[in-house]
Amino acid sequence: MGTLYLVRHGQASFGAADYDQLSELGRRQSVRLGEYFAHQGIHFDGLIAGTLQRHKQTLAGILQGMNRAGEHLAWEGLNEYDSEAVIAAIHPGPRERPRTPEEARHHFRLLRDGLAQWMAGAANPAGMPTWRDFLAGVAGALDHVRANHYGQNVLVVTSGGPIATAVGHVLGASPQATIELNMRIRNTAVTEFAFTPKRHSLVSFNCLPHLDAPDLRGWISYA
C-alpha cells in the first residue's frame, strides 16, 4: 500500500482583490501542518501541487514546518475551478465582492447552483474546462500517483474542488454529494487515501489533527 495525503491550501484572501494569496493565518496553518507531519515522523517520497500561488505557498509552508526542502511536480489538473466564472454563468452582470456574512452566504448559494449546472453540462463558465475535463485532470493526478508511487507516501497540495472531486470519483458519489463535500473542506485539512497500483481507498476526510489543541481552534477556517 501507498498513502496519499491530499491537503487543501491554507486560508487565502477571500473578499480581497487577489484571492490567490495566503493570508497570514494561512501561512501559519501551513507551517503548523508541516510541524505536525515532522512530529509524527511522516516523510514524503513524492510532492505534487497545483500551479496556483496559494498551492505553492502552502507547500512552502509545510516544508518549512518540516525543516526540509524538496522539488515538486506541478500539476495544472489540480487547480481550482474559477468560482466567479461559475457564478457568472448563471447570474450574469456585475456583483460586489462579499463583505458581510449574509453576502457570503448568498455567494455560496449561487456557487452551489452554478456548480450543479456546470457538472450537469447546463452551464459553460467562461475560460473554464468542461466538468468532464476538470474531472479528468484530477483523475489523471490519482492515476499518476498509483503508477509511480506504489508503497510510498505522497503529498498533494491543491484546493477544495479537486479534493472533493477526487473523493467523489473514488466513492462514486453523486454530483450533489460532491458539491457538499466541496463546501465543507477546511483550510489545510488532510484527506487520506490508501492506494495500490489498481485503486485508491478513502481512509479519512477533511481532518485537522495539527489544529486539535484548544489554543489552536481559532485557526480553523474555510476560505
Side-chain angles (χ1 to χ4, degrees):
M1 284 282 188
T3 303
L4 170 61
Y5 298 83
L6 281 169
V7 172
R8 188 189 176 203
H9 60 80
Q11 185 189 60
S13 300
F14 183 72
D18 183 7
Y19 174 75
D20 194 24
Q21 298 288 331
L22 291 191
S23 67
E24 179 55 36
L25 174 59
R27 295 179 190 279
R28 285 187 276 125
Q29 291 168 334
S30 304
V31 173
R32 178 71 191 100
L33 179 56
E35 292 171 345
Y36 168 81
F37 284 142
H39 181 72
Q40 294 297 313
I42 298 172
H43 72 280
F44 298 108
D45 306 289
L47 301 171
I48 306 173
T51 65
L52 301 177
Q53 288 300 311
R54 57 190 184 273
H55 300 157
K56 293 183 282 189
Q57 292 167 0
T58 299
L59 178 57
I62 292 170
L63 293 177
Q64 178 185 334
M66 297 181 73
N67 194 29
R68 63 157 287 187
E71 295 296 321
H72 75 276
L73 174 64
W75 195 281
E76 288 190 5
L78 291 168
N79 287 351
E80 184 64 288
Y81 56 77
D82 182 344
S83 61
E84 293 301 321
V86 169
I87 292 173
I90 64 160
H91 191 274
R95 290 182 304 104
E96 295 292 327
R97 289 193 295 271
R99 300 184 185 280
T100 67
E102 179 52 39
E103 289 173 353
R105 286 191 289 272
H106 180 63
H107 169 90
F108 286 107
R109 284 194 293 270
L110 290 174
L111 180 58
R112 279 183 167 89
D113 188 15
L115 288 171
Q117 295 196 39
W118 173 49
M119 294 169 80
N124 299 292
M128 277 179 46
T130 64
W131 163 248
R132 186 183 298 272
D133 288 342
F134 183 84
L135 171 58
V138 175
L142 296 178
D143 292 344
H144 172 84
V145 169
R146 288 199 313 274
N148 294 278
H149 293 286
Y150 177 58
Q152 298 181 340
N153 289 336
V154 180
L155 173 66
V156 169
V157 179
T158 178
S159 291
I163 294 172
T165 298
V167 173
H169 176 64
V170 169
L171 297 182
S174 68
Q176 189 59 44
T178 300
I179 292 169
E180 291 308 313
L181 289 171
N182 185 183
M183 294 298 111
R184 304 316 305 166
I185 301 177
R186 299 168 291 186
N187 295 118
T188 63
V190 181
T191 293
E192 183 180 339
F193 288 98
F195 66 91
T196 69
K198 292 186 177 181
R199 65 191 296 262
H200 281 84
S201 300
L202 183 65
V203 175
S204 64
F205 173 71
N206 197 28
C207 299
L208 294 171
H210 56 301
L211 301 181
D212 269 351
D215 60 330
L216 296 179
R217 298 291 169 80
W219 289 26
I220 297 173
S221 63
Y222 288 85

